[in-house]
Amino acid sequence: MLYKAVKGFKDILPYQVGTWNRVESEAKRIFELFGYREIRIPVLEKAELFARGIGQDTDIVSKEMYTLEDRKGNRLAMRPEATASVIRAYIEHKLYKGYPVQKLFTIGPMFRYERPQKGRRRQFHQINVEIIGDPGPKSDSELIFMIMYFFSSLGLNDFILNVNSLGCLKCRGPFRAELRSYLDRYFVQLCPDCQKRMETNPLRVFDCKVETCNQIIKDAPSMLDFLCNDCTNHFDSVRLYLKQLDLDFVVNSYLMRGLDYYTRTTFEVQTKEMGAQNAVAGGGRYDNLMKEFGGPDSPAIGFAIGVERVVELLEEHVVQEEEGPDIFLAPLGKEAEDKSFVWLQELRKGGLRSEMEYRSLGLKAQMRHADRLRARKVLIVGEDELIKGKGILRDMVSKEQIEIPLDNLVDELIRLLIR
Ligand code: HAM
């Protein structure tokens, strides 16, 4: 073999695509019910957009971004997430003109140079949703409700919903100071990365995957003890609405999320399976990003679902059979083959999933192929059938056979088989 896919980049093969389509179409169906509109954004952006939005000191920006220079020396990045691009587009196209609240979703590939493992790829796909322009807390709760409804409509219910509040800039300052002085006590035990994080942004120590740092962070001060009155009220209301919507959740005060833009509510949906890569969706509020990007002072909140992880859960838990063709044409002899070729295209135009083997095979081989494709019915037409003007229509499940006139064949088959 001369070429293999790049490490961490995977093909989605025909037998897998059915599940992918199901996830995406269910997302679109539900988001439309909730009033969200699709936006499509580019895969490449200026690298600075992500550095500024997600944060220079985050793992995503400092270690995982695919960056490149174009021929004019502009530094670009393959998007590692969608939020920064959606906000850029909202400002660039002045989507706030008219009605300032915009509910948007986008679906597509993201790129992060992480160590590939189960549930973690370098090219992965997100279903990403944002509400721009509403300060919440109803929007916060609606989004969380919508994700959980999406999962349950796919037949997936075994999740833990974690929620937290990261406060606003006003209450984050004192927390950060307290956290720094706590971590100072353990400075020598922290990994070299976290020692650097102490200088740049001690909150990022929460993202560390090194066990000793995890142990230290377990007893760190909790952000929730530092929330100002407004942030406390906001978080209380979010929790109240979630209860009214009958959602089970746990408050996890260490849920910091790996992106710098978050303020107030953050949340993550975790599966009990998949080991370390257990987050199937995550998000939160980011009330300062729009202003940071030079747009209006507008609050926002959103989340992203990791499609690979959802597909994996569905493949393991929800049995889904691929649908076969409605009709398989099995002609014998040149005249029947040529007639069938034309019928085949007309049947497809008429809305029937129709198949035929072009390689002039015997009846046995054609029946085997129809079986493999899981065809509902097979139409057998040989010389005798042409003379009689009647084909044989065989049901592949009951094995029952009936005769069917050939003069008005296409209309007759459509009448019989259309679902
Ligand atoms: P995130 O937590 O970085 O958030 O990613 C969201 C989800 O994408 C994760 O929970 C996970 O399911 C999936 N994911 C992330 N990295 C990988 C990977 N390497 N391989 C497979 N799946 C992965 C964000 O990206 C935010 N932009 C979400 C958001 C939207 N916040 C506000 N609005």
Side-chain angles (χ1 to χ4, degrees):
M1 195 195 318
L2 280 181
Y3 301 109
K4 274 185 145 188
V6 174
K7 188 173 174 189
F9 288 63
K10 286 227 172 150
D11 301 305
I12 300 160
L13 297 172
Y15 71 88
Q16 301 169 309
V17 165
T19 312
W20 280 76
N21 282 339
R22 197 168 141 232
V23 171
E24 289 172 12
S25 61
E26 194 57 6
K28 285 184 183 171
R29 184 185 74 80
I30 289 175
F31 298 166
E32 271 156 28
L33 284 177
F34 283 74
Y36 292 76
R37 290 189 305 154
E38 186 170 0
I39 179 168
R40 299 192 185 190
I41 44 174
V43 169
L44 274 185
E45 295 274 3
K46 295 206 173 108
E48 193 196 324
L49 178 87
F50 300 114
R52 182 116 187 223
I54 301 168
Q56 187 62 55
D57 309 315
T58 57
D59 281 357
I60 298 178
V61 171
S62 64
K63 299 184 187 163
E64 298 168 2
M65 232 165 30
Y66 280 87
T67 51
L68 60 117
E69 266 192 13
D70 70 10
R71 286 166 195 276
K72 290 216 165 123
N74 296 307
R75 196 163 169 272
L76 305 176
M78 310 260 283
R79 60 181 185 196
E81 60 119 42
T83 309
S85 306
V86 171
I87 296 303
R88 193 245 335 115
Y90 176 89
I91 299 169
E92 186 171 338
H93 303 287
K94 298 191 174 63
L95 296 184
Y96 44 86
K97 281 203 165 160
Y99 193 60
V101 179
Q102 292 281 330
K103 298 166 73 165
L104 304 171
F105 73 90
T106 191
I107 301 179
M110 310 292 153
F111 305 87
R112 295 183 193 174
Y113 192 84
E114 293 188 86
R115 199 161 46 81
Q117 54 175 249
K118 189 173 159 66
R120 195 160 75 192
R121 307 253 175 96
R122 289 181 175 169
Q123 175 177 320
F124 61 99
H125 296 74
Q126 284 187 343
I127 296 174
N128 185 88
V129 179
E130 317 288 349
I131 303 183
I132 306 169
D134 183 66
K138 286 198 177 66
S139 288
D140 309 34
S141 313
E142 169 183 304
L143 274 185
I144 296 172
F145 179 76
M146 190 170 77
I147 306 185
M148 300 317 279
Y149 176 53
F150 164 73
F151 284 132
S152 77
S153 78
L154 286 173
L156 299 172
N157 293 297
D158 205 9
F159 293 119
I160 301 167
L161 168 61
N162 288 268
V163 296
N164 190 24
S165 175
L166 298 187
C168 60
L169 294 182
K170 208 166 69 183
C171 39
R172 192 87 57 83
F175 170 66
R176 192 197 285 249
E178 183 70 20
L179 179 66
R180 181 170 278 137
S181 78
Y182 168 82
L183 291 173
D184 259 341
R185 284 190 260 147
Y186 300 95
F187 189 81
V188 287
Q189 283 151 264
L190 291 172
C191 73
D193 271 354
C194 283
Q195 291 182 346
K196 262 188 251 150
R197 287 171 174 137
M198 285 283 291
E199 296 305 312
T200 52
N201 183 357
L203 263 72
R204 295 277 63 97
V205 175
F206 283 96
D207 307 335
C208 188
K209 287 157 194 124
V210 175
E211 189 46 35
T212 43
C213 300
N214 282 340
Q215 288 303 326
I216 294 168
I217 212 76
K218 257 191 186 159
D219 296 316
S222 160
M223 180 66 230
L224 293 178
D225 295 331
F226 288 80
L227 295 184
C228 64
N229 275 347
D230 286 350
C231 290
T232 303
N233 290 340
H234 185 99
F235 193 44
D236 285 347
S237 303
V238 171
R239 284 183 294 179
L240 183 70
Y241 289 134
L242 293 181
K243 281 189 190 138
Q244 287 175 351
L245 293 168
D246 248 349
L247 288 178
D248 286 331
F249 60 90
V250 288
V251 174
N252 174 357
S253 64
Y254 297 116
L255 184 70
M256 287 291 150
R257 311 266 302 124
L259 304 96
D260 276 354
Y261 50 56
Y262 289 118
T263 51
R264 294 196 166 170
T265 316
T266 54
F267 50 94
E268 210 161 82
V269 183
Q270 296 171 350
T271 155
K272 294 169 202 154
E273 302 167 36
M274 282 190 192
Q277 308 312 314
N278 62 356
V280 286
R285 181 161 280 288
Y286 53 98
D287 289 342
N288 303 318
L289 187 63
M290 185 82 69
K291 212 165 48 174
E292 179 80 16
F293 280 179
D297 186 2
S298 203
I301 180 165
F303 69 81
I305 297 168
V307 184
E308 276 77 4
R309 295 180 191 178
V310 178
V311 166
E312 213 167 287
L313 287 174
L314 283 174
E315 284 173 346
E316 275 164 31
H317 295 287
V318 182
V319 186
Q320 203 201 355
E321 299 250 309
E322 256 180 85
E323 258 184 47
D326 298 306
I327 178 93
F328 184 94
L329 304 185
L332 295 161
K334 170 120 178 64
E335 192 185 342
E337 281 171 13
D338 289 351
K339 281 209 156 81
S340 294
F341 174 71
V342 176
W343 289 329
L344 178 71
Q345 318 309 330
E346 287 173 357
L347 287 165
R348 288 167 171 168
K349 265 174 74 182
L352 288 184
R353 296 154 68 120
S354 315
E355 282 300 332
M356 170 183 162
E357 171 59 67
Y358 288 159
R359 286 176 304 165
S360 303
L361 299 177
L363 186 59
K364 241 191 182 163
Q366 295 198 64
M367 294 307 283
R368 257 203 312 271
H369 189 42
D371 218 28
R372 216 171 12 235
L373 291 175
R374 280 190 265 190
R376 282 166 68 200
K377 306 265 185 191
V378 174
L379 178 78
I380 303 163
V381 182
E383 273 169 33
D384 289 352
E385 285 72 29
L386 285 178
I387 293 165
K388 275 203 294 185
K390 282 181 184 157
I392 300 166
L393 187 64
R394 179 179 169 87
D395 186 293
M396 294 300 278
V397 178
S398 69
K399 312 289 179 215
E400 205 180 299
Q401 298 194 159
I402 56 167
E403 287 192 329
I404 180 163
L406 296 178
D407 53 0
N408 198 20
L409 179 78
V410 171
D411 288 345
E412 189 57 15
L413 282 175
I414 291 169
R415 191 184 65 75
L416 284 174
L417 301 182
I418 203 94
R419 290 181 219 239

